Amino acid sequence: MARVVSVFLPKLPTDRIRRADPSLSVETPLVVIARSGSKRWIAAADTAAIKLGLRVGMPAAKAQALVRGLVMIDADTAADLAALERLTLWALSQYSPVVAMDPPDGIVMDTEGADHLQGGEDLMLSGLVNRFRGRGLAARAAIADTWGAAHALARTTDRETVIVGRGDAARAANRLPLSSLRLPAETVQSLRTLGFATVGDLAATPRAPLTLRFGPEVGRRLDQMFGHIAEPIDPIRPAELVEVQESFAEPIGAPETIEKYVSRLVRQLCLELEKRGLGVRRADLIVHRVDNTIQALRAGTAKPVRDIAWLTKLFRDRIERIEPGFGIEKLSLAAILAEPLIEAQSASSLIEEQVTDVTPLIDVLGNRGGQRIFRVAPVASDVPERSVRRIAPTAAEDGATWPLHWPRPSRLLARPELIEVIALLPDHPPVSFTWRGKRRRVKRADGPERVFGEWWKRSAEWIAVRDYFVVEDETGERFWIFRSGDGVDAETGSHKWFLHGVFA
């Protein structure tokens, strides 16, 4: 069963205009005006305008009369669609092989088989909304079994994310208003006049009278929302995309046959990439079934590759996830993310020692999902928790190192943990400390190492200090603990003690 994500960008035109014109402050009410003949109405309104009582669909003359200083800009449909296309292409490279525009204000994607790479549906949706917010865009996202249900929920809720469980799309859709069915406004108004208020009211009505009066569109939209008929997503494809396809006169379905054609497509893709001097970083296998549904598999690599055997293995390991149904009529393989690949001559083992390449292991773990593969690298900072950062596992070394004049623990806690300590202030190490309910006597200690706050970055750390000690308990375990403050002046810290790391 598919899992469809609908992303609603309610103020995309106003967001685009505000970023393009820095002179518009966030307090300035801004609306986008659409026109048809002599009629002019609000097509989009920013937060400042909505707070003043304006809404989408309100006549432009009324809005201008209600709000003084209102900035009104004529709609630019072409620019809005171009902005939406750029966002859709970005989502294609980041989230799912099957992503499409949902004009005029949304993106739709099928994340079945891809959400685990983002840590699950909850983390994927929240991360998606947060990344849009980081780009200065308001967004709401919903996930359901059908495009119709996800599209409606994203546009009728005030929550940023909505997750409908598998098989619950019909129950969630029954409570939605008629306007969420993606029907013409005239049809919605006529249905309301007849007494229908929700999708559930309409679904409980015999279909024949509705079809006779309004045509087949009402029934089709209901069936799409409830999942009775398929609504395939035609994925967007950038112009420069490297893609190969294989169509079949007779549908295929056997795993051995699928594997044979996938191997053939990988070979063709690598040949196309070689002509352009590229290597693939992310490839999508799109499976088109005869029942007009689409499945997709995504494989990523830690560095650009053009190794036919390795790429074939990455897809072969996941072919069992393909459900051929009544048969597959077309397979396509696309290099969604490709980078220049420079061939390097392998050195002889007679000249220098061979270096083991761990990128195949990184690829296997990364495509398995549920975890992010990274490597920690040093950062120029004396504050321990700021002295490390996560980088890509294959990122080049930049030459930075940690300080070598004082030992550092092999395990640094995510955040320092408060401990109870008996110690003589200001410079003596602890005599004993209690951590996680266990009291430990200190047999040996070294320190203090004084660490100053980064006053040039944070004014609150102007005189803040920490005094670190390496202590060893009676069992031989070694810990890295510190006192917040210099032990004399209360302004330098709270004088509380914390455990920050454990030595091997």
Side-chain angles (χ1 to χ4, degrees):
M1 182 179 292
R3 294 294 281 171
V4 181
V5 173
S6 179
V7 182
F8 176 42
L9 303 164
K11 298 189 294 292
L12 177 60
T14 60
D15 292 329
R16 176 182 59 79
I17 293 167
R18 196 175 292 282
R19 290 201 311 274
D21 188 354
S23 65
L24 294 173
S25 67
V26 293
E27 291 82 12
T28 304
L30 172 66
V31 294
V32 177
I33 302 299
R35 66 173 65 227
S36 177
S38 60
K39 293 183 179 180
R40 300 171 69 242
W41 67 91
I42 296 177
D46 69 351
T47 304
I50 293 174
K51 288 181 179 178
L52 294 173
L54 305 185
R55 65 183 186 278
V56 175
M58 178 182 288
K62 182 179 179 180
Q64 199 168 16
L66 288 174
V67 178
R68 184 178 180 181
L70 178 64
V71 177
M72 305 174 66
I73 299 176
D74 290 335
D76 187 344
T77 305
D80 293 339
L81 286 177
L84 184 61
E85 182 179 13
R86 290 193 297 271
L87 291 172
T88 307
L89 290 173
W90 169 80
L92 173 69
S93 67
Q94 299 294 320
Y95 288 97
S96 170
V98 183
V99 182
M101 297 170 58
D102 192 4
D105 52 14
I107 299 171
V108 61
M109 61 182 82
D110 186 344
T111 60
E112 180 67 23
D115 54 1
H116 70 286
L117 298 175
Q118 306 291 335
E121 292 179 348
D122 193 7
L123 288 177
M124 178 186 65
L125 281 192
S126 59
L128 176 64
V129 171
N130 288 336
R131 293 181 76 174
F132 274 112
R133 187 187 297 114
R135 289 168 168 253
L137 299 171
R140 297 202 297 266
I143 184 168
D145 294 337
T146 66
W147 182 349
H151 179 279
L153 289 165
R155 287 156 177 80
T156 57
T157 182
D158 293 331
R159 290 183 291 168
E160 287 191 336
T161 61
V162 178
I163 299 178
V164 178
R166 294 181 182 272
D168 292 338
R171 181 177 56 83
N174 280 328
R175 302 188 299 268
L176 296 175
L178 290 179
S179 57
S180 63
L181 272 175
R182 296 177 289 171
L183 291 169
E186 297 80 5
T187 303
V188 173
Q189 185 58 42
S190 298
L191 289 170
R192 286 173 177 165
T193 303
L194 293 175
F196 297 105
T198 65
V199 172
D201 295 339
L202 198 61
T205 302
R207 188 70 57 86
L210 292 174
T211 303
L212 183 64
R213 180 162 184 172
F214 298 103
E217 185 67 7
V218 174
R220 187 174 72 90
R221 288 302 191 188
L222 283 172
D223 288 339
Q224 288 175 343
M225 179 170 283
F226 290 111
H228 300 322
I229 60 174
E231 187 176 8
I233 300 172
D234 187 15
I236 191 172
R237 287 292 181 258
E240 68 280 4
L241 184 72
V242 182
E243 184 175 19
V244 293
Q245 300 179 351
E246 186 80 38
S247 298
F248 311 107
E250 294 292 334
I252 65 172
E256 300 81 6
T257 308
I258 297 174
E259 181 179 335
K260 180 183 73 174
Y261 284 106
V262 168
S263 301
R264 184 179 300 179
L265 288 174
V266 169
R267 189 176 302 108
Q268 295 174 7
L269 183 68
C270 289
L271 290 176
E272 291 296 324
L273 291 170
E274 185 177 5
K275 295 176 183 177
R276 308 186 189 193
L278 299 175
V280 66
R281 283 291 311 277
R282 191 170 296 144
D284 291 344
L285 177 66
I286 310 296
V287 180
H288 301 263
R289 303 195 323 191
V290 295
D291 58 356
N292 205 25
T293 59
I294 294 177
Q295 289 181 277
L297 295 178
R298 169 164 286 183
T301 58
K303 63 181 182 181
V305 297
R306 232 173 20 232
D307 189 327
I308 296 175
W310 179 241
L311 289 175
T312 301
K313 180 184 183 305
L314 290 180
F315 282 108
R316 184 191 301 123
D317 293 342
R318 306 175 66 195
I319 282 179
E320 69 274 5
R321 299 186 182 183
I322 297 176
E323 298 178 3
F326 295 107
I328 298 170
E329 61 182 1
K330 187 173 74 171
L331 291 172
S332 62
L333 183 64
I336 295 299
L337 184 59
E339 297 177 359
L341 177 62
I342 301 175
E343 301 288 354
Q345 177 66 44
S346 299
S348 170
S349 58
L350 298 175
I351 302 174
E352 57 184 64
E353 184 180 354
Q354 293 281 2
V355 178
T356 303
D357 186 7
V358 298
T359 52
L361 176 61
I362 295 172
D363 293 344
V364 171
L365 295 176
N367 285 287
R368 190 172 296 169
Q371 55 205 346
R372 302 297 294 271
I373 310 299
F374 61 89
R375 181 163 56 89
V376 295
V379 177
S381 176
D382 287 332
V383 181
E385 60 266 32
R386 302 174 195 156
S387 64
V388 294
R389 62 189 175 98
R390 295 182 178 185
I391 61 174
T394 57
E397 299 286 349
D398 58 6
T401 60
W402 283 290
L404 301 177
H405 52 282
W406 284 96
R408 290 291 182 262
S410 55
R411 179 193 172 197
L412 194 69
L413 300 184
R415 56 181 58 88
E417 297 185 10
L418 185 67
I419 57 176
E420 298 178 4
V421 168
I422 298 176
L424 182 64
L425 297 180
D427 296 327
H428 290 75
V431 176
S432 66
F433 66 94
T434 303
W435 176 49
R436 295 182 178 177
K438 181 178 180 181
R439 184 173 181 271
R440 302 171 185 266
R441 295 185 58 190
V442 176
K443 303 294 291 183
R444 298 177 182 83
D446 188 17
E449 173 195 357
R450 179 155 292 181
V451 173
F452 293 89
E454 295 179 330
W455 50 267
W456 59 94
K457 295 181 179 179
R458 296 168 173 84
S459 58
E461 298 180 4
W462 180 259
I463 57 174
V465 297
R466 294 178 184 175
D467 282 343
Y468 278 87
F469 294 86
V470 179
V471 298
E472 181 179 323
D473 68 3
E474 64 271 17
T475 64
E477 293 184 83
R478 294 192 304 153
F479 305 91
W480 205 39
I481 65 177
F482 73 87
R483 181 188 63 238
S484 175
D486 60 6
V488 179
D489 190 349
E491 293 185 0
T492 61
S494 64
H495 292 170
K496 293 181 179 180
W497 288 81
F498 299 85
L499 191 144
H500 204 169
V502 180
F503 290 87

